[in-house]
Amino acid sequence: MSAPDRRVFFVPSQFPTLQAAIEAAEGAVTIVVEPGAYDESLTIVDRPEVVIQSARLSRRGVVLGGDGAPAVIHVERAGLALSGIEVRSDGRSRGIRAVDATLNLQECLVAGNCAAGSGGEQERIVGAGIAAWRSRVRVQKSTLACNRVEAASPDAGPAAGGGLYLEECRSEIAGSTVVGNSVRSPVAARGGGIAMVRGRLRMWKSRVTDNLLRAPACEGGGLYAFEPEPCDLGGNVVANNTALDGLGGGLFLAGERANLPLGAGSTLHWNHPDDFWSLR
């Protein structure tokens, strides 16, 4: 049931931009967006709950392209739910950046985004599609495709998470596809599809396929997991991922093997140079 003070705003008939609708909301808000291309970047900070949905419901047609900001959507200390939305920056920026937030995607497409730079101690080049820290992330019936992480300098350190980068997060991926994402670095690359640092992941009936790592040292062409908490994986396909000059073409684990079970009905095959690698 919706909260009594929830407002419903319409874009562009009521507000010319999504950011204007977000700023006009004093509490929880649902923003219904007519199909079209919206070349704006959104900042959602300290908001209790923002829902952005296509007026066509689960059928897409709303494309957020960004305006050249570091991320098409930046959400911090806030709750954001997207339904029927495409996040496509055409390689100009990261798709979504979430910090201390709750992020939910349903029937969405996050594609063609890029995280790039020379990096440094305070900046890691990670998470071209979605990058999240200390957040709750749920991705349902969605696709993350053809996003790329490109580290331009050895100072950037290891680059990670072509599709998703999840650090100290509680995450769920259900009925979704992570395909054709890549990480390139002059030093090290991790998690062509998904990179998870600590935290917990529940993933089922999803596909992690055709993702790529290219660097002098590569770990986890499909999925990279560093010291994960107990996870729940079942009914997934991890296939055709590549870790050039590396280990764990399908899955690379640095942690307790029992914390990352493949689960019943899972398929792990046709990855290069191998399907699975564990440090323990």
Side-chain angles (χ1 to χ4, degrees):
M1 179 178 294
S2 299
D5 60 348
R6 173 175 291 280
R7 302 291 301 275
V8 179
F9 293 160
F10 296 89
V11 174
S13 61
Q14 188 176 5
F15 293 91
T17 66
L18 280 84
Q19 190 65 50
I22 292 167
E23 293 175 357
E26 295 181 356
V29 63
T30 295
I31 302 171
V32 181
V33 189
E34 288 296 324
Y38 297 82
D39 292 329
E40 58 176 308
S41 297
L42 307 182
T43 300
I44 304 167
V45 178
D46 295 325
R47 301 280 178 175
E49 185 179 351
V50 175
V51 176
I52 301 175
Q53 68 180 48
S54 169
R56 299 175 63 187
L57 301 179
S58 63
R59 291 179 293 175
R60 294 192 296 265
V62 176
V63 180
L64 296 181
D67 59 9
V72 177
I73 302 174
H74 172 78
V75 53
E76 186 168 357
R77 300 185 304 277
L80 173 64
L82 303 176
S83 177
I85 306 297
E86 298 185 23
V87 180
R88 293 177 177 263
S89 71
D90 291 332
R92 294 179 297 173
S93 63
R94 172 184 287 123
I96 302 172
R97 183 177 191 268
V99 181
D100 300 313
T102 299
L103 178 65
N104 289 280
L105 278 67
Q106 184 167 0
E107 298 281 0
C108 291
L109 173 65
V110 181
N113 303 288
C114 180
S118 57
E121 287 301 320
Q122 301 302 318
E123 179 189 359
R124 295 302 184 195
I125 312 303
V126 298
I130 299 173
W133 292 264
R134 302 177 303 279
S135 298
R136 292 186 176 272
V137 179
R138 190 167 194 266
V139 179
Q140 183 177 14
K141 296 181 180 179
S142 296
T143 298
L144 290 95
C146 302
N147 303 287
R148 70 185 194 278
V149 173
E150 296 183 354
S153 165
D155 294 336
L164 297 94
Y165 178 83
L166 306 164
E167 184 169 335
E168 298 180 358
C169 293
R170 296 290 184 268
S171 308
E172 295 184 13
I173 302 173
S176 295
T177 300
V178 182
V179 59
N181 304 283
S182 63
V183 181
R184 290 175 170 83
S185 168
V187 178
R190 298 169 175 166
I194 302 168
M196 178 177 61
V197 177
R198 295 178 288 276
R200 181 174 296 172
L201 173 64
R202 185 184 183 202
M203 183 168 72
W204 68 101
K205 294 185 179 179
S206 295
R207 299 179 63 86
V208 181
T209 64
D210 302 287
N211 300 287
L212 170 70
L213 297 178
R214 186 159 193 171
C218 297
E219 297 172 338
L223 170 65
Y224 170 87
F226 178 81
E227 295 187 353
E229 298 177 21
C231 298
D232 181 10
L233 281 66
N236 302 295
V237 175
V238 181
N240 297 322
N241 302 287
T242 300
L244 291 173
D245 299 314
L247 300 169
L251 190 154
F252 184 97
L253 170 64
E256 295 296 333
R257 180 67 184 88
N259 286 350
L260 199 71
L262 292 178
S266 292
T267 300
L268 179 66
H269 63 186
W270 299 334
N271 300 285
H272 176 82
D274 46 21
D275 288 323
F276 177 82
W277 185 272
S278 175
L279 290 180
R280 298 181 188 174

PDB file of all heavy atoms in Angstrom, residues 227-262:
ATOM      1  N   GLU A 227      35.948 -12.229  -0.702  1.00  0.00           N
ATOM      2  CA  GLU A 227      35.514 -12.425   0.674  1.00  0.00           C
ATOM      3  C   GLU A 227      34.006 -12.187   0.851  1.00  0.00           C
ATOM      4  O   GLU A 227      33.576 -11.376   1.666  1.00  0.00           O
ATOM      5  CB  GLU A 227      36.312 -11.533   1.623  1.00  0.00           C
ATOM      6  CG  GLU A 227      37.792 -11.899   1.661  1.00  0.00           C
ATOM      7  CD  GLU A 227      38.559 -11.128   2.711  1.00  0.00           C
ATOM      8  OE1 GLU A 227      37.985 -10.212   3.331  1.00  0.00           O
ATOM      9  OE2 GLU A 227      39.750 -11.448   2.909  1.00  0.00           O
ATOM     10  N   PRO A 228      33.200 -12.893   0.074  1.00  0.00           N
ATOM     11  CA  PRO A 228      31.745 -12.716   0.211  1.00  0.00           C
ATOM     12  C   PRO A 228      31.219 -13.356   1.487  1.00  0.00           C
ATOM     13  O   PRO A 228      31.797 -14.315   2.009  1.00  0.00           O
ATOM     14  CB  PRO A 228      31.196 -13.443  -1.016  1.00  0.00           C
ATOM     15  CG  PRO A 228      32.204 -14.527  -1.278  1.00  0.00           C
ATOM     16  CD  PRO A 228      33.533 -13.909  -0.945  1.00  0.00           C
ATOM     17  N   GLU A 229      30.119 -12.825   1.985  1.00  0.00           N
ATOM     18  CA  GLU A 229      29.355 -13.488   3.028  1.00  0.00           C
ATOM     19  C   GLU A 229      28.593 -14.644   2.376  1.00  0.00           C
ATOM     20  O   GLU A 229      28.582 -14.774   1.146  1.00  0.00           O
ATOM     21  CB  GLU A 229      28.403 -12.487   3.680  1.00  0.00           C
ATOM     22  CG  GLU A 229      29.105 -11.334   4.369  1.00  0.00           C
ATOM     23  CD  GLU A 229      28.133 -10.327   4.937  1.00  0.00           C
ATOM     24  OE1 GLU A 229      26.959 -10.684   5.148  1.00  0.00           O
ATOM     25  OE2 GLU A 229      28.553  -9.174   5.158  1.00  0.00           O
ATOM     26  N   PRO A 230      27.944 -15.516   3.150  1.00  0.00           N
ATOM     27  CA  PRO A 230      27.198 -16.615   2.534  1.00  0.00           C
ATOM     28  C   PRO A 230      26.200 -16.123   1.487  1.00  0.00           C
ATOM     29  O   PRO A 230      25.372 -15.251   1.756  1.00  0.00           O
ATOM     30  CB  PRO A 230      26.494 -17.264   3.726  1.00  0.00           C
ATOM     31  CG  PRO A 230      27.389 -16.979   4.878  1.00  0.00           C
ATOM     32  CD  PRO A 230      27.939 -15.608   4.622  1.00  0.00           C
ATOM     33  N   CYS A 231      26.313 -16.669   0.281  1.00  0.00           N
ATOM     34  CA  CYS A 231      25.477 -16.262  -0.844  1.00  0.00           C
ATOM     35  C   CYS A 231      24.560 -17.407  -1.257  1.00  0.00           C
ATOM     36  O   CYS A 231      24.744 -18.558  -0.856  1.00  0.00           O
ATOM     37  CB  CYS A 231      26.352 -15.836  -2.023  1.00  0.00           C
ATOM     38  SG  CYS A 231      27.412 -14.401  -1.696  1.00  0.00           S
ATOM     39  N   ASP A 232      23.582 -17.088  -2.080  1.00  0.00           N
ATOM     40  CA  ASP A 232      22.610 -18.068  -2.560  1.00  0.00           C
ATOM     41  C   ASP A 232      22.515 -17.934  -4.073  1.00  0.00           C
ATOM     42  O   ASP A 232      21.996 -16.929  -4.574  1.00  0.00           O
ATOM     43  CB  ASP A 232      21.253 -17.821  -1.895  1.00  0.00           C
ATOM     44  CG  ASP A 232      20.194 -18.831  -2.332  1.00  0.00           C
ATOM     45  OD1 ASP A 232      20.550 -19.815  -2.999  1.00  0.00           O
ATOM     46  OD2 ASP A 232      19.013 -18.623  -1.994  1.00  0.00           O
ATOM     47  N   LEU A 233      23.040 -18.910  -4.792  1.00  0.00           N
ATOM     48  CA  LEU A 233      23.013 -18.907  -6.249  1.00  0.00           C
ATOM     49  C   LEU A 233      22.334 -20.175  -6.732  1.00  0.00           C
ATOM     50  O   LEU A 233      22.677 -21.275  -6.287  1.00  0.00           O
ATOM     51  CB  LEU A 233      24.428 -18.837  -6.832  1.00  0.00           C
ATOM     52  CG  LEU A 233      25.136 -17.471  -6.865  1.00  0.00           C
ATOM     53  CD1 LEU A 233      25.433 -16.963  -5.473  1.00  0.00           C
ATOM     54  CD2 LEU A 233      26.424 -17.567  -7.674  1.00  0.00           C
ATOM     55  N   GLY A 234      21.373 -20.032  -7.661  1.00  0.00           N
ATOM     56  CA  GLY A 234      20.700 -21.211  -8.175  1.00  0.00           C
ATOM     57  C   GLY A 234      20.073 -20.967  -9.529  1.00  0.00           C
ATOM     58  O   GLY A 234      19.524 -19.892  -9.788  1.00  0.00           O
ATOM     59  N   GLY A 235      20.172 -21.952 -10.408  1.00  0.00           N
ATOM     60  CA  GLY A 235      19.520 -21.883 -11.712  1.00  0.00           C
ATOM     61  C   GLY A 235      20.096 -20.848 -12.645  1.00  0.00           C
ATOM     62  O   GLY A 235      19.385 -20.332 -13.511  1.00  0.00           O
ATOM     63  N   ASN A 236      21.391 -20.548 -12.501  1.00  0.00           N
ATOM     64  CA  ASN A 236      22.017 -19.532 -13.330  1.00  0.00           C
ATOM     65  C   ASN A 236      22.852 -20.155 -14.442  1.00  0.00           C
ATOM     66  O   ASN A 236      23.281 -21.303 -14.355  1.00  0.00           O
ATOM     67  CB  ASN A 236      22.920 -18.641 -12.470  1.00  0.00           C
ATOM     68  CG  ASN A 236      22.161 -17.975 -11.342  1.00  0.00           C
ATOM     69  OD1 ASN A 236      21.278 -17.162 -11.562  1.00  0.00           O
ATOM     70  ND2 ASN A 236      22.503 -18.332 -10.101  1.00  0.00           N
ATOM     71  N   VAL A 237      23.111 -19.370 -15.478  1.00  0.00           N
ATOM     72  CA  VAL A 237      24.003 -19.765 -16.565  1.00  0.00           C
ATOM     73  C   VAL A 237      25.172 -18.787 -16.586  1.00  0.00           C
ATOM     74  O   VAL A 237      24.969 -17.575 -16.729  1.00  0.00           O
ATOM     75  CB  VAL A 237      23.290 -19.759 -17.928  1.00  0.00           C
ATOM     76  CG1 VAL A 237      24.282 -20.063 -19.051  1.00  0.00           C
ATOM     77  CG2 VAL A 237      22.153 -20.765 -17.940  1.00  0.00           C
ATOM     78  N   VAL A 238      26.383 -19.310 -16.417  1.00  0.00           N
ATOM     79  CA  VAL A 238      27.608 -18.509 -16.507  1.00  0.00           C
ATOM     80  C   VAL A 238      28.442 -19.129 -17.619  1.00  0.00           C
ATOM     81  O   VAL A 238      29.061 -20.190 -17.435  1.00  0.00           O
ATOM     82  CB  VAL A 238      28.372 -18.497 -15.172  1.00  0.00           C
ATOM     83  CG1 VAL A 238      29.624 -17.625 -15.286  1.00  0.00           C
ATOM     84  CG2 VAL A 238      27.476 -17.986 -14.043  1.00  0.00           C
ATOM     85  N   ALA A 239      28.436 -18.500 -18.783  1.00  0.00           N
ATOM     86  CA  ALA A 239      29.020 -19.145 -19.961  1.00  0.00           C
ATOM     87  C   ALA A 239      29.614 -18.123 -20.926  1.00  0.00           C
ATOM     88  O   ALA A 239      29.180 -16.968 -20.987  1.00  0.00           O
ATOM     89  CB  ALA A 239      27.956 -19.968 -20.696  1.00  0.00           C
ATOM     90  N   ASN A 240      30.610 -18.588 -21.677  1.00  0.00           N
ATOM     91  CA  ASN A 240      31.218 -17.805 -22.760  1.00  0.00           C
ATOM     92  C   ASN A 240      31.856 -16.502 -22.277  1.00  0.00           C
ATOM     93  O   ASN A 240      31.942 -15.534 -23.036  1.00  0.00           O
ATOM     94  CB  ASN A 240      30.193 -17.498 -23.858  1.00  0.00           C
ATOM     95  CG  ASN A 240      29.668 -18.741 -24.528  1.00  0.00           C
ATOM     96  OD1 ASN A 240      30.415 -19.690 -24.759  1.00  0.00           O
ATOM     97  ND2 ASN A 240      28.383 -18.768 -24.815  1.00  0.00           N
ATOM     98  N   ASN A 241      32.298 -16.472 -21.037  1.00  0.00           N
ATOM     99  CA  ASN A 241      33.028 -15.313 -20.531  1.00  0.00           C
ATOM    100  C   ASN A 241      34.528 -15.546 -20.711  1.00  0.00           C
ATOM    101  O   ASN A 241      34.999 -16.682 -20.744  1.00  0.00           O
ATOM    102  CB  ASN A 241      32.706 -15.096 -19.053  1.00  0.00           C
ATOM    103  CG  ASN A 241      31.218 -14.891 -18.826  1.00  0.00           C
ATOM    104  OD1 ASN A 241      30.665 -13.847 -19.145  1.00  0.00           O
ATOM    105  ND2 ASN A 241      30.551 -15.911 -18.275  1.00  0.00           N
ATOM    106  N   THR A 242      35.297 -14.446 -20.806  1.00  0.00           N
ATOM    107  CA  THR A 242      36.719 -14.556 -21.101  1.00  0.00           C
ATOM    108  C   THR A 242      37.536 -13.692 -20.153  1.00  0.00           C
ATOM    109  O   THR A 242      37.254 -12.499 -20.000  1.00  0.00           O
ATOM    110  CB  THR A 242      37.012 -14.130 -22.551  1.00  0.00           C
ATOM    111  OG1 THR A 242      36.294 -14.978 -23.447  1.00  0.00           O
ATOM    112  CG2 THR A 242      38.492 -14.213 -22.861  1.00  0.00           C
ATOM    113  N   ALA A 243      38.560 -14.300 -19.551  1.00  0.00           N
ATOM    114  CA  ALA A 243      39.553 -13.581 -18.759  1.00  0.00           C
ATOM    115  C   ALA A 243      40.906 -13.779 -19.443  1.00  0.00           C
ATOM    116  O   ALA A 243      41.626 -14.733 -19.161  1.00  0.00           O
ATOM    117  CB  ALA A 243      39.575 -14.095 -17.327  1.00  0.00           C
ATOM    118  N   LEU A 244      41.252 -12.878 -20.356  1.00  0.00           N
ATOM    119  CA  LEU A 244      42.506 -13.013 -21.083  1.00  0.00           C
ATOM    120  C   LEU A 244      43.680 -12.854 -20.119  1.00  0.00           C
ATOM    121  O   LEU A 244      43.682 -11.964 -19.258  1.00  0.00           O
ATOM    122  CB  LEU A 244      42.590 -11.946 -22.180  1.00  0.00           C
ATOM    123  CG  LEU A 244      41.611 -12.104 -23.355  1.00  0.00           C
ATOM    124  CD1 LEU A 244      41.676 -10.901 -24.264  1.00  0.00           C
ATOM    125  CD2 LEU A 244      41.912 -13.381 -24.132  1.00  0.00           C
ATOM    126  N   ASP A 245      44.686 -13.711 -20.253  1.00  0.00           N
ATOM    127  CA  ASP A 245      45.883 -13.664 -19.398  1.00  0.00           C
ATOM    128  C   ASP A 245      45.500 -13.691 -17.924  1.00  0.00           C
ATOM    129  O   ASP A 245      46.045 -12.938 -17.104  1.00  0.00           O
ATOM    130  CB  ASP A 245      46.702 -12.392 -19.688  1.00  0.00           C
ATOM    131  CG  ASP A 245      47.182 -12.345 -21.131  1.00  0.00           C
ATOM    132  OD1 ASP A 245      47.684 -13.380 -21.603  1.00  0.00           O
ATOM    133  OD2 ASP A 245      47.047 -11.293 -21.758  1.00  0.00           O
ATOM    134  N   GLY A 246      44.530 -14.542 -17.572  1.00  0.00           N
ATOM    135  CA  GLY A 246      44.108 -14.559 -16.186  1.00  0.00           C
ATOM    136  C   GLY A 246      43.557 -15.895 -15.736  1.00  0.00           C
ATOM    137  O   GLY A 246      43.780 -16.933 -16.354  1.00  0.00           O
ATOM    138  N   LEU A 247      42.782 -15.835 -14.653  1.00  0.00           N
ATOM    139  CA  LEU A 247      42.215 -17.015 -14.021  1.00  0.00           C
ATOM    140  C   LEU A 247      40.724 -16.817 -13.799  1.00  0.00           C
ATOM    141  O   LEU A 247      40.245 -15.687 -13.650  1.00  0.00           O
ATOM    142  CB  LEU A 247      42.889 -17.262 -12.668  1.00  0.00           C
ATOM    143  CG  LEU A 247      44.404 -17.498 -12.683  1.00  0.00           C
ATOM    144  CD1 LEU A 247      44.950 -17.450 -11.260  1.00  0.00           C
ATOM    145  CD2 LEU A 247      44.745 -18.822 -13.352  1.00  0.00           C
ATOM    146  N   GLY A 248      39.989 -17.929 -13.779  1.00  0.00           N
ATOM    147  CA  GLY A 248      38.563 -17.846 -13.506  1.00  0.00           C
ATOM    148  C   GLY A 248      37.792 -17.186 -14.622  1.00  0.00           C
ATOM    149  O   GLY A 248      37.157 -16.155 -14.437  1.00  0.00           O
ATOM    150  N   GLY A 249      37.835 -17.796 -15.802  1.00  0.00           N
ATOM    151  CA  GLY A 249      37.097 -17.222 -16.923  1.00  0.00           C
ATOM    152  C   GLY A 249      35.622 -17.080 -16.634  1.00  0.00           C
ATOM    153  O   GLY A 249      34.987 -16.106 -17.036  1.00  0.00           O
ATOM    154  N   GLY A 250      35.057 -18.041 -15.898  1.00  0.00           N
ATOM    155  CA  GLY A 250      33.656 -17.943 -15.510  1.00  0.00           C
ATOM    156  C   GLY A 250      33.489 -17.278 -14.169  1.00  0.00           C
ATOM    157  O   GLY A 250      32.760 -16.303 -14.026  1.00  0.00           O
ATOM    158  N   LEU A 251      34.204 -17.804 -13.159  1.00  0.00           N
ATOM    159  CA  LEU A 251      34.027 -17.323 -11.796  1.00  0.00           C
ATOM    160  C   LEU A 251      35.356 -17.374 -11.061  1.00  0.00           C
ATOM    161  O   LEU A 251      36.072 -18.372 -11.127  1.00  0.00           O
ATOM    162  CB  LEU A 251      32.983 -18.186 -11.079  1.00  0.00           C
ATOM    163  CG  LEU A 251      32.464 -17.746  -9.716  1.00  0.00           C
ATOM    164  CD1 LEU A 251      31.068 -18.313  -9.490  1.00  0.00           C
ATOM    165  CD2 LEU A 251      33.392 -18.219  -8.588  1.00  0.00           C
ATOM    166  N   PHE A 252      35.690 -16.285 -10.364  1.00  0.00           N
ATOM    167  CA  PHE A 252      36.892 -16.210  -9.546  1.00  0.00           C
ATOM    168  C   PHE A 252      36.478 -15.882  -8.121  1.00  0.00           C
ATOM    169  O   PHE A 252      35.761 -14.909  -7.882  1.00  0.00           O
ATOM    170  CB  PHE A 252      37.835 -15.131 -10.064  1.00  0.00           C
ATOM    171  CG  PHE A 252      39.152 -15.060  -9.314  1.00  0.00           C
ATOM    172  CD1 PHE A 252      40.271 -15.693  -9.814  1.00  0.00           C
ATOM    173  CD2 PHE A 252      39.256 -14.371  -8.121  1.00  0.00           C
ATOM    174  CE1 PHE A 252      41.488 -15.636  -9.137  1.00  0.00           C
ATOM    175  CE2 PHE A 252      40.458 -14.298  -7.431  1.00  0.00           C
ATOM    176  CZ  PHE A 252      41.578 -14.939  -7.939  1.00  0.00           C
ATOM    177  N   LEU A 253      36.935 -16.698  -7.175  1.00  0.00           N
ATOM    178  CA  LEU A 253      36.568 -16.519  -5.766  1.00  0.00           C
ATOM    179  C   LEU A 253      37.814 -16.365  -4.906  1.00  0.00           C
ATOM    180  O   LEU A 253      38.704 -17.211  -4.935  1.00  0.00           O
ATOM    181  CB  LEU A 253      35.758 -17.716  -5.266  1.00  0.00           C
ATOM    182  CG  LEU A 253      35.494 -17.791  -3.760  1.00  0.00           C
ATOM    183  CD1 LEU A 253      34.634 -16.627  -3.292  1.00  0.00           C
ATOM    184  CD2 LEU A 253      34.840 -19.123  -3.405  1.00  0.00           C
ATOM    185  N   ALA A 254      37.857 -15.272  -4.155  1.00  0.00           N
ATOM    186  CA  ALA A 254      38.876 -15.091  -3.124  1.00  0.00           C
ATOM    187  C   ALA A 254      38.135 -15.079  -1.790  1.00  0.00           C
ATOM    188  O   ALA A 254      37.697 -14.024  -1.319  1.00  0.00           O
ATOM    189  CB  ALA A 254      39.646 -13.787  -3.333  1.00  0.00           C
ATOM    190  N   GLY A 255      37.937 -16.258  -1.214  1.00  0.00           N
ATOM    191  CA  GLY A 255      37.158 -16.370   0.011  1.00  0.00           C
ATOM    192  C   GLY A 255      36.786 -17.811   0.278  1.00  0.00           C
ATOM    193  O   GLY A 255      37.270 -18.736  -0.396  1.00  0.00           O
ATOM    194  N   GLU A 256      35.907 -18.008   1.240  1.00  0.00           N
ATOM    195  CA  GLU A 256      35.487 -19.354   1.607  1.00  0.00           C
ATOM    196  C   GLU A 256      34.618 -19.954   0.510  1.00  0.00           C
ATOM    197  O   GLU A 256      33.614 -19.353   0.102  1.00  0.00           O
ATOM    198  CB  GLU A 256      34.704 -19.314   2.922  1.00  0.00           C
ATOM    199  CG  GLU A 256      35.533 -18.885   4.117  1.00  0.00           C
ATOM    200  CD  GLU A 256      36.638 -19.872   4.428  1.00  0.00           C
ATOM    201  OE1 GLU A 256      36.470 -21.078   4.106  1.00  0.00           O
ATOM    202  OE2 GLU A 256      37.673 -19.452   4.976  1.00  0.00           O
ATOM    203  N   ARG A 257      35.008 -21.138   0.047  1.00  0.00           N
ATOM    204  CA  ARG A 257      34.283 -21.784  -1.053  1.00  0.00           C
ATOM    205  C   ARG A 257      32.820 -22.018  -0.708  1.00  0.00           C
ATOM    206  O   ARG A 257      31.942 -21.852  -1.569  1.00  0.00           O
ATOM    207  CB  ARG A 257      34.967 -23.120  -1.388  1.00  0.00           C
ATOM    208  CG  ARG A 257      34.298 -23.888  -2.523  1.00  0.00           C
ATOM    209  CD  ARG A 257      34.439 -23.156  -3.850  1.00  0.00           C
ATOM    210  NE  ARG A 257      33.733 -23.833  -4.923  1.00  0.00           N
ATOM    211  CZ  ARG A 257      32.468 -23.634  -5.223  1.00  0.00           C
ATOM    212  NH1 ARG A 257      31.735 -22.795  -4.503  1.00  0.00           N
ATOM    213  NH2 ARG A 257      31.918 -24.268  -6.238  1.00  0.00           N
ATOM    214  N   ALA A 258      32.527 -22.342   0.534  1.00  0.00           N
ATOM    215  CA  ALA A 258      31.144 -22.628   0.921  1.00  0.00           C
ATOM    216  C   ALA A 258      30.245 -21.404   0.839  1.00  0.00           C
ATOM    217  O   ALA A 258      29.023 -21.532   0.781  1.00  0.00           O
ATOM    218  CB  ALA A 258      31.109 -23.201   2.336  1.00  0.00           C
ATOM    219  N   ASN A 259      30.836 -20.224   0.825  1.00  0.00           N
ATOM    220  CA  ASN A 259      30.030 -18.996   0.790  1.00  0.00           C
ATOM    221  C   ASN A 259      29.527 -18.653  -0.606  1.00  0.00           C
ATOM    222  O   ASN A 259      28.704 -17.736  -0.751  1.00  0.00           O
ATOM    223  CB  ASN A 259      30.833 -17.819   1.340  1.00  0.00           C
ATOM    224  CG  ASN A 259      30.984 -17.872   2.845  1.00  0.00           C
ATOM    225  OD1 ASN A 259      30.338 -18.686   3.507  1.00  0.00           O
ATOM    226  ND2 ASN A 259      31.819 -17.003   3.392  1.00  0.00           N
ATOM    227  N   LEU A 260      30.007 -19.350  -1.624  1.00  0.00           N
ATOM    228  CA  LEU A 260      29.569 -19.049  -2.988  1.00  0.00           C
ATOM    229  C   LEU A 260      29.219 -20.347  -3.718  1.00  0.00           C
ATOM    230  O   LEU A 260      29.903 -20.770  -4.649  1.00  0.00           O
ATOM    231  CB  LEU A 260      30.663 -18.290  -3.750  1.00  0.00           C
ATOM    232  CG  LEU A 260      30.190 -17.527  -4.989  1.00  0.00           C
ATOM    233  CD1 LEU A 260      29.356 -16.326  -4.592  1.00  0.00           C
ATOM    234  CD2 LEU A 260      31.383 -17.074  -5.820  1.00  0.00           C
ATOM    235  N   PRO A 261      28.127 -21.013  -3.312  1.00  0.00           N
ATOM    236  CA  PRO A 261      27.719 -22.259  -3.971  1.00  0.00           C
ATOM    237  C   PRO A 261      27.112 -21.976  -5.338  1.00  0.00           C
ATOM    238  O   PRO A 261      26.429 -20.966  -5.526  1.00  0.00           O
ATOM    239  CB  PRO A 261      26.664 -22.805  -3.009  1.00  0.00           C
ATOM    240  CG  PRO A 261      26.052 -21.582  -2.391  1.00  0.00           C
ATOM    241  CD  PRO A 261      27.182 -20.594  -2.257  1.00  0.00           C
ATOM    242  N   LEU A 262      27.364 -22.863  -6.275  1.00  0.00           N
ATOM    243  CA  LEU A 262      26.771 -22.688  -7.601  1.00  0.00           C
ATOM    244  C   LEU A 262      25.272 -22.937  -7.575  1.00  0.00           C
ATOM    245  O   LEU A 262      24.525 -22.342  -8.343  1.00  0.00           O
ATOM    246  CB  LEU A 262      27.450 -23.607  -8.606  1.00  0.00           C
ATOM    247  CG  LEU A 262      28.913 -23.269  -8.915  1.00  0.00           C
ATOM    248  CD1 LEU A 262      29.483 -24.287  -9.887  1.00  0.00           C
ATOM    249  CD2 LEU A 262      29.020 -21.860  -9.485  1.00  0.00           C
TER     250      LEU A 262
END
